[in-house]
Amino acid sequence: MSNNLSFQVTSIDETTKARAGVLKTPHGAIVTPIFMPVGTQATVKTLSPEELTQCGCSIILANTYHLHLRPGDELVAKAGGLHAFESWAGSLLTDSGGFQVFSLRDISKITEEGVWFQSHIDGSKHFFSPERVIEIERNLGADIIMMFDECPPALADVAHIENAVDRTIRWAARCVTAHEKTPLRHGNAQALFGIVQGSIYKPLRERCARELVSMNLPGYAVGGLAVGESAQDLYETALFTCGLLPENKPRYLMGVGTPENILECIARGVDMFDCVLPTRNARNGTLFSWNGKINIRNACHTEDFGRGLDPSCACYACKNFSRAYLRHLFMAGEVLAIRLLTLHNIHFYMDLVKQARGHIAGGTLGEWKDSARETMKGERGGGAGGGGRGRVRVFP
Amino acid sequence: MSNNLSFQVTSIDETTKARAGVLKTPHGAIVTPIFMPVGTQATVKTLSPEELTQCGCSIILANTYHLHLRPGDELVAKAGGLHAFESWAGSLLTDSGGFQVFSLRDISKITEEGVWFQSHIDGSKHFFSPERVIEIERNLGADIIMMFDECPPALADVAHIENAVDRTIRWAARCVTAHEKTPLRHGNAQALFGIVQGSIYKPLRERCARELVSMNLPGYAVGGLAVGESAQDLYETALFTCGLLPENKPRYLMGVGTPENILECIARGVDMFDCVLPTRNARNGTLFSWNGKINIRNACHTEDFGRGLDPSCACYACKNFSRAYLRHLFMAGEVLAIRLLTLHNIHFYMDLVKQARGHIAGGTLGEWKDSARETMKGERGGGAGGGGRGRVRVFP
């Protein structure tokens, strides 16, 4: 299989399963563990590529489903692929759209061949199959492309999950074949990652991992989590599934999660994360910090002129603006509010994984993680669960 | 009167009434003619202070009416004034709120003492008088503060305009007294500008200008224009009113205008401009360029991968992104669209006045203005009046 990745584990934490490494793509080196901001529609919402680079981002996501519908993957291909289209010099990963089309349950028809679904934008009908998704991901041209998998609903019973695992395995084989057969579109080889499904059921995770590992893919994702299971189930499943995957391949936990989730899953052997939390929460006024969550709508920030969101943060928002000003912008519905809050949250997530990497190299990940989790339980008054709620304003 | 300004005319164009100069405030030197972006709610919509500086902005506006209502001028005063609150190191000008409260005609009660009005945010009642407005502007702490004037409706009859002129003169005297009596709040002297009213009626403009000039104010604005009059009336009134004002004081034409308006009024002796057009139009997808207006929603931009908005523009948006990408962002409702489009429009307006300054110094303003107006009449196909309209999306 044509591959463009190299991955090397550079250090292993002694007290946990955490490891640090370097993943190389045609668009640069990514130090792991890494957080990948979500750029669904070919933009990480509200931020410029320059700001992402300043935050330390080396790889971002985009979504096959959304870009196929708008502006269309053929159009992106004509632009020279996603890197050129969105002017992003770093690495890119495209999710396959499996999660999205299986979420459109009422307007999807699922067969062994693939999934018919209706666009959420204009109701037009579209068909995704393993082969079609690989074709679209070729057009988009990301460095890492995800296989098309079956994503069962959060509350599916075990029989449903088992069927989804079996289909995911069959579709993985079709993705591999399609990937081998289709030519490169933009000069770069694209690494196809497998997705291990199986919910919280260990025998299903085992079966899925065994089959996908036998395909010798360049990387593996843990899918089907972050769909409402308990933190304990998440952590157990992440630990168990990482144990089934090759030591020398990157492991990507899809859609996870809170800062606490990320630290715990790093400790269980995960190398790569993505989540909409930092960007989406920013648009709702919720900020992450080393001292806990902050709800910028809270009245306690009204006259807080003396400090930014997080005194230890070096982002442009924290270096230049008080909580009082950020709250004013947010309450007044000003776009600069969600720009600055998003910038801060992404900077925080990048700082989180950066500090984790340092502690893995130093062999202190376990201890540091526990103390960081303790301080992140929250500052008094300003926390998201704190007093005044203000007027809730949800930005686009 | 305590003053903090110096103004020096540095060159005069030989073929027009245009002049270039330097206006100094406690927050730096402003080369004129200048465009001042509008930052109504203590932010130029969508842009960061850093971006404004990169665009060459040296002075921005804020609005007394909006900031009095939210977050409150007392709160801004506690923050150390507007410069500190919004983290803007350059100069600031606050409009007096006259234009806003007189626009709320149905919910305002006007007396000689002042204006009672209801907040557009929550319906609460407030009172603006010359004295109250100076007090609020002291709290805000801008370098240049505008007097509280009576702004008659666009279609008012001459008797109404005459009454407004007389009241504006009386209120100007009260503003001067209030300004002399009230202490500085943030260490900087604040220059009080008069506003000449009188619509398109020369005798009224004459009377208003004569009275205000006798007060020996540090600068004068031409108000009551850009309210729907013809371009010819605008240009004639600007020329006539500039001729009534002292040569050695800055002249500010309020609320004007299009790039063409600005060039023509520079040629008639205006030094300072403000307008919401570049920021508001950006949020509706309309861009300014040296080759005319561009409607980014137009279908002709869908596959325009090869060029940005304006090949001669050095802004971040033009240097990094194609029209196809900008159109995609706009149609998808992504905030990055209105950021980049606003950045471009502000950059263009700053470039417009910069080039005008160069041509004044070179004595070629008249000729250059005519040829620039010609090229700005529009590029084929992509103009705002062009073919496809796409789906109109109006951002916040």
Side-chain angles (χ1 to χ4, degrees), chain B residues 36-365:
Chain B
M36 306 180 286
V38 178
T40 305
Q41 300 195 109
T43 167
V44 175
K45 286 190 189 303
T46 82
L47 298 185
S48 70
E50 190 175 48
E51 286 164 334
L52 291 168
T53 301
Q54 285 162 359
C55 285
C57 303
S58 50
I59 176 168
I60 62 175
L61 255 66
N63 200 287
T64 296
Y65 167 81
H66 292 85
L67 294 174
H68 169 66
L69 297 182
R70 183 173 59 193
D73 50 286
E74 284 291 349
L75 184 139
V76 174
K78 284 185 199 167
L82 259 186
H83 290 90
F85 186 57
E86 65 178 291
S87 200
W88 173 245
S91 300
L92 270 166
L93 181 152
T94 41
D95 194 5
S96 63
F99 183 79
Q100 282 72 32
V101 299
F102 282 95
S103 301
L104 301 168
R105 201 150 293 270
D106 294 338
I107 51 172
S108 290
K109 189 188 161 203
I110 303 159
T111 70
E112 181 63 18
E113 178 57 20
V115 182
W116 279 100
F117 61 94
Q118 278 183 270
S119 161
H120 73 284
I121 300 168
D122 61 8
S124 55
K125 292 198 173 163
H126 300 261
F127 181 68
F128 271 11
S129 64
E131 294 77 15
R132 183 78 183 100
V133 163
I134 294 295
E135 190 182 4
I136 296 169
E137 292 192 291
R138 283 290 194 211
N139 281 334
L140 298 174
D143 302 281
I144 299 173
I145 62 179
M146 303 307 296
M147 59 166 284
F148 187 58
D149 57 338
E150 173 160 352
C151 301
L155 300 174
D157 58 32
V158 66
H160 190 149
I161 304 282
E162 186 165 16
N163 286 334
V165 162
D166 290 340
R167 182 172 281 154
T168 292
I169 293 166
R170 293 191 299 272
W171 284 3
R174 286 168 58 189
C175 283
V176 168
T177 305
H179 184 246
E180 282 169 350
K181 277 187 182 168
T182 48
L184 307 187
R185 289 260 353 210
H186 310 294
N188 294 320
Q190 297 177 277
L192 175 66
F193 275 29
I195 303 176
V196 179
Q197 290 288 350
S199 186
I200 57 172
Y201 304 106
K202 291 182 180 176
L204 298 181
R205 289 277 172 191
E206 264 180 337
R207 187 199 307 179
C208 198
R210 188 177 57 238
E211 295 294 331
L212 295 180
V213 169
S214 76
M215 298 178 196
N216 190 28
L217 298 166
Y220 293 93
V222 184
L225 292 174
V227 291
E229 74 284 347
S230 71
Q232 192 175 334
D233 281 342
L234 167 66
Y235 301 152
E236 267 196 41
T237 308
L239 176 67
F240 180 77
T241 311
C242 283
L244 304 170
L245 297 172
E247 298 268 328
N248 63 340
K249 301 283 177 75
R251 303 163 185 163
Y252 162 29
L253 179 55
M254 303 181 82
V256 172
T258 65
E260 293 78 7
N261 292 160
I262 288 177
L263 294 185
E264 291 300 338
C265 292
I266 286 174
R268 284 160 177 81
V270 175
D271 305 305
M272 303 164 72
F273 298 87
D274 82 284
C275 192
V276 296
L277 263 192
T279 41
R280 181 174 294 164
N281 275 9
R283 298 198 300 285
N284 291 323
T286 301
L287 291 311
F288 296 98
S289 89
W290 290 104
N291 301 312
K293 283 202 274 188
I294 298 162
N295 182 340
I296 202 65
R297 300 189 304 269
N298 279 356
C300 62
H301 305 303
T302 307
E303 300 199 358
D304 195 338
F305 306 114
R307 58 178 176 166
L309 299 169
D310 188 335
S312 70
C313 180
C315 84
Y316 177 72
C318 286
K319 287 287 180 202
N320 287 279
F321 304 101
S322 67
R323 294 186 182 195
Y325 180 64
L326 295 171
R327 180 177 191 275
H328 160 65
L329 290 182
F330 195 89
M331 301 309 277
E334 286 287 354
V335 164
L336 185 58
I338 57 171
R339 275 187 61 175
L340 294 173
L341 301 184
T342 304
L343 184 74
H344 169 78
N345 275 356
I346 290 294
H347 193 281
F348 174 79
Y349 265 64
M350 299 315 296
D351 195 31
L352 183 80
V353 291
K354 182 181 179 182
Q355 296 213 21
R357 290 193 299 269
H359 284 282
I360 294 169
T364 52
L365 193 271

Side-chain angles (χ1 to χ4, degrees), chain A residues 12-306:
Chain A
I12 295 179
D13 180 62
E14 288 165 14
T15 58
T16 69
K17 301 276 184 189
R19 69 238 197 109
V22 183
L23 177 64
K24 287 185 182 157
T25 82
H27 290 87
I30 298 153
V31 281
T32 62
I34 191 69
F35 178 76
M36 306 180 286
V38 177
T40 305
Q41 300 195 110
T43 166
V44 176
K45 286 190 190 301
T46 83
L47 298 184
S48 70
E50 191 174 48
E51 287 165 333
L52 291 168
T53 301
Q54 284 162 359
C55 285
C57 302
S58 51
I59 176 168
I60 62 174
L61 255 66
N63 201 287
T64 296
Y65 167 81
H66 292 84
L67 294 174
H68 169 66
L69 296 182
R70 184 173 59 192
D73 50 286
E74 283 291 351
L75 184 139
V76 174
K78 284 185 199 167
L82 259 185
H83 289 89
F85 186 57
E86 65 178 289
S87 198
W88 173 245
S91 300
L92 269 166
L93 181 152
T94 40
D95 194 4
S96 63
F99 183 79
Q100 281 73 30
V101 299
F102 281 96
S103 302
L104 300 170
R105 202 150 292 271
D106 295 339
I107 51 172
S108 290
K109 191 190 159 201
I110 303 160
T111 69
E112 181 62 18
E113 180 57 20
V115 181
W116 280 100
F117 61 94
Q118 277 184 271
S119 161
H120 72 284
I121 301 169
D122 61 8
S124 56
K125 291 197 174 165
H126 300 261
F127 181 67
F128 272 11
S129 64
E131 294 77 13
R132 183 77 183 101
V133 164
I134 294 296
E135 190 182 4
I136 295 169
E137 293 193 291
R138 284 290 195 210
N139 280 335
L140 298 175
D143 302 281
I144 299 174
I145 62 179
M146 304 307 297
M147 60 166 283
F148 188 58
D149 57 338
E150 173 160 351
C151 301
L155 301 173
D157 59 31
V158 65
H160 189 149
I161 304 282
E162 187 165 14
N163 286 334
V165 162
D166 289 341
R167 182 172 280 155
T168 291
I169 293 167
R170 293 192 299 273
W171 283 3
R174 285 168 58 189
C175 284
V176 168
T177 304
H179 184 246
E180 283 169 349
K181 277 189 182 168
T182 49
L184 307 187
R185 289 257 357 207
H186 310 294
N188 294 318
Q190 298 177 278
L192 175 66
F193 274 30
I195 303 175
V196 179
Q197 290 287 352
S199 186
I200 57 171
Y201 304 106
K202 290 182 180 175
L204 297 181
R205 289 278 172 189
E206 264 180 336
R207 187 199 305 179
C208 196
R210 187 176 59 237
E211 294 294 331
L212 295 180
V213 169
S214 77
M215 297 178 194
N216 191 28
L217 297 166
Y220 293 94
V222 184
L225 291 174
V227 291
E229 74 284 348
S230 70
Q232 191 175 334
D233 281 342
L234 166 64
Y235 300 153
E236 268 196 41
T237 308
L239 176 68
F240 180 77
T241 311
C242 283
L244 304 169
L245 296 171
E247 299 267 328
N248 63 341
K249 301 283 176 74
R251 303 161 184 164
Y252 162 29
L253 179 55
M254 302 181 82
V256 172
T258 66
E260 293 79 7
N261 292 160
I262 288 177
L263 294 186
E264 291 300 338
C265 293
I266 285 174
R268 285 160 175 81
V270 174
D271 305 305
M272 304 164 72
F273 299 86
D274 81 286
C275 191
V276 296
L277 264 191
T279 42
R280 181 174 294 165
N281 275 9
R283 298 198 301 284
N284 291 324
T286 301
L287 290 312
F288 296 98
S289 90
W290 290 104
N291 301 312
K293 283 202 275 188
I294 298 162
N295 182 339
I296 201 65
R297 300 189 305 269
N298 279 356
C300 63
H301 306 303
T302 307
E303 300 199 359
D304 196 338
F305 305 114

Side-chain angles (χ1 to χ4, degrees), chain A residues 337-396:
Chain A
I338 57 171
R339 276 187 60 176
L340 293 174
L341 301 184
T342 304
L343 184 74
H344 169 77
N345 274 356
I346 290 294
H347 193 280
F348 174 79
Y349 265 64
M350 299 315 295
D351 194 31
L352 183 81
V353 292
K354 182 182 180 183
Q355 295 214 22
R357 289 192 300 267
H359 284 282
I360 293 169
T364 53
L365 192 272
E367 195 182 326
W368 168 75
K369 158 181 78 69
D370 293 340
S371 102
R373 285 197 57 176
E374 202 55 41
T375 69
M376 286 193 289
K377 279 185 182 161
E379 54 179 44
R380 279 178 212 141
R389 300 221 166 258
R391 190 173 63 180
V392 177
R393 175 180 288 277
V394 179
F395 280 88

